[in-house]
Amino acid sequence: MAAPQAFDPPANFGAPVVSLQRNSGPLPAVDVLDGLSGWSVGSSGLTRIDFPANVVHPGVFPENPFSEHVNLDREFSGASPGDPVVVDSAAGRLVLAAFPVTIPGQGTRPSRHAVELVAAESGSARKAFSIAVPAPESGWGAGEQIQPVATRVVGVADSVAVVIGTDPDGRHGLSAGIDLVTHQVLWTTPADVVAQEVVGDVVVVQRQSALEPEVRGIGVRDGVQRWAGVPGGSVTVSGSRQVLVGHDSSTLVAVGGRSTAVDVGSGKSVASPLSGQAGWECHDDERSVTVCELMKGLDPYALVGLDRDSGAELWRIVADAGRVPPQVTATWHGAVYGFTDSGPVVLDGRTGMDRTPTAAAAPFLVNEYFGVSAAPGSRPEGKPNYTNRSRQVVVPAIS
């Protein structure tokens, strides 16, 4: 079978070639694309599915048993375990996932809660290695551990993977830096310090306090504190060296609150078109543009394109100003994918102009060969549900 033609980035997609479904059917729903394959994570382990041959490889598992009382077959994005991460590292091209596990007890030693990083070889789909990191004590009772229920790979830099496993509210847990070459755990944080994002060589962490959470920066390889003292709750990456810190995490889906753009190298506030308004959600196109959207209730209110390196505003679409801001499903290599009430649309990431006004799909995963979008279906009110990841279709790039 001839390999599909590559388009970098795709401007439109063809008819579906594969149907996928979470928790049922012969082909599992995927969580990340990797060339001509997708990867899924759940109770079947870390699994590669090849397109369009529809070959499902045996899953890769942690060495330790999965934790009890944790649903690994999540129905929505953001549940545990988090989406796999595909990375080119000094150890080769790897696919990484973090699982909540239990290290069995032995003799008089009790069992322990842990997060296990599982690495698969991208090319062979075989297991490369896995490393379990025990969860810290909670501080609420002698010897009582945090039980991680939400686990994910936060990011990778300098061949160091940053993994977390948090309690149900996400405020306490395990954060660790793991060297992908030596397989050593380089650092961990106290239970009240949780990694949020990896930006360059800095891990942006949040420390809980009785008053207001504090955001800090630590080194990705040594875990040493670079800066501290930034008050705030939510953290979103808004550029190659910048994060946006929201000062009211309750305003994630509504206009209100405030935010500050922070340089991750110094921890100092910097000028940004996004500052002053909390609730922005940003999408990195992995090349030159960061696209940030602000919701008002359940509807898009504003969409802003920023230069990924400088943070300068490139374009802006605001509701009731002549154009309809789409709800973004993905950004990749200078293209913005999303939908309005009129259907799927593709924007030019550098100009914000319509590139494909009537696109065939609004993919939430995209690379040069494929998009993965919600399977055709309707909400009760008759509108397609473009954000449903449980039932998926793979659509080939055609332009």
Side-chain angles (χ1 to χ4, degrees):
M1 183 178 296
Q5 187 175 354
F7 297 91
D8 186 3
N12 208 354
F13 302 90
V17 293
V18 181
S19 294
L20 312 169
Q21 190 162 343
R22 196 173 301 282
N23 302 338
S24 63
L27 298 176
V30 298
D31 305 301
V32 68
L33 288 175
D34 177 21
L36 298 175
S37 304
W39 290 82
S40 176
V41 65
S43 61
S44 297
L46 179 59
T47 306
R48 194 180 90 185
I49 303 93
D50 296 339
F51 309 130
N54 302 347
V55 174
V56 181
H57 293 259
V60 173
F61 289 87
E63 294 296 318
N64 297 286
F66 295 135
S67 294
E68 296 181 357
H69 314 302
V70 177
N71 180 13
L72 297 173
D73 294 317
R74 69 264 176 88
E75 288 292 334
F76 57 91
S77 180
S80 182
D83 293 343
V85 172
V86 181
V87 60
D88 290 306
S89 72
R93 187 171 178 86
L94 300 173
V95 184
L96 309 174
F99 291 90
V101 300
T102 299
I103 300 175
Q106 188 175 20
T108 60
R109 187 178 63 189
S111 61
R112 300 198 67 185
H113 302 303
V115 175
E116 188 161 341
L117 174 69
V118 174
E121 297 173 349
S122 169
S124 69
R126 292 193 294 264
K127 186 174 183 177
F129 58 86
S130 67
I131 302 159
V133 186
E137 293 188 4
S138 65
W140 303 318
E144 183 177 351
Q145 269 190 299
I146 295 284
Q147 181 174 1
V149 297
T151 57
R152 68 184 177 100
V153 179
V154 178
V156 181
D158 193 19
S159 295
V160 176
V162 177
V163 301
I164 63 169
T166 62
D167 58 12
D169 66 8
R171 296 165 62 88
H172 297 84
L174 160 75
S175 298
I178 300 173
D179 192 306
L180 298 178
V181 177
T182 66
H183 307 165
Q184 298 298 307
V185 178
L186 301 178
W187 51 265
T188 60
T189 63
D192 62 348
V193 177
V194 178
Q196 304 294 309
E197 302 284 357
V198 177
V199 187
D201 61 349
V202 175
V203 184
V204 181
V205 302
Q206 184 185 83
R207 180 184 182 276
Q208 299 299 321
S209 71
L211 298 176
E212 184 176 26
E214 177 194 3
V215 175
R216 301 174 174 178
I218 65 176
V220 71
R221 180 154 284 279
D222 56 18
V224 173
Q225 182 173 297
R226 302 277 186 87
W227 47 266
V230 178
S234 62
V235 176
T236 184
V237 178
S238 53
S240 61
R241 297 293 296 173
Q242 190 179 108
V243 293
L244 196 67
V245 178
H247 299 280
D248 183 359
S249 59
S250 67
T251 60
L252 290 177
V253 295
V255 175
R258 57 193 177 89
S259 63
T260 302
V262 175
D263 179 88
V264 296
S266 65
K268 298 183 181 300
S269 60
V270 294
S272 170
L274 308 179
S275 294
Q277 173 66 66
W280 292 100
E281 180 179 356
C282 296
H283 308 265
D284 178 20
D285 85 335
E286 302 178 24
R287 179 173 286 174
S288 64
V289 177
T290 302
V291 177
C292 300
E293 63 181 334
L294 184 67
M295 305 293 285
K296 190 173 185 179
L298 298 177
D299 298 317
Y301 175 74
L303 193 65
V304 177
L306 306 174
D307 183 89
R308 189 173 184 262
D309 293 329
S310 71
E313 182 172 326
L314 302 173
W315 51 268
R316 178 182 294 249
I317 304 173
V318 180
D320 303 322
R323 296 180 70 194
V324 178
Q327 184 167 338
V328 176
T329 55
T331 59
W332 193 68
H333 288 195
V336 183
Y337 305 90
F339 62 93
T340 68
D341 287 343
S342 300
V345 62
V346 181
L347 306 183
D348 185 294
R350 296 297 299 183
T351 67
M353 300 304 295
D354 291 7
R355 182 171 178 176
T356 310
T358 55
F364 41 78
L365 301 175
V366 62
N367 67 7
E368 64 269 36
Y369 300 110
F370 301 107
V372 178
S373 64
S378 296
R379 292 175 172 172
E381 65 270 26
K383 295 180 180 179
N385 187 352
Y386 296 109
T387 60
N388 179 12
R389 293 194 175 203
S390 294
R391 296 178 60 248
Q392 305 174 350
V393 291
V394 178
V395 289
I398 60 172
S399 66

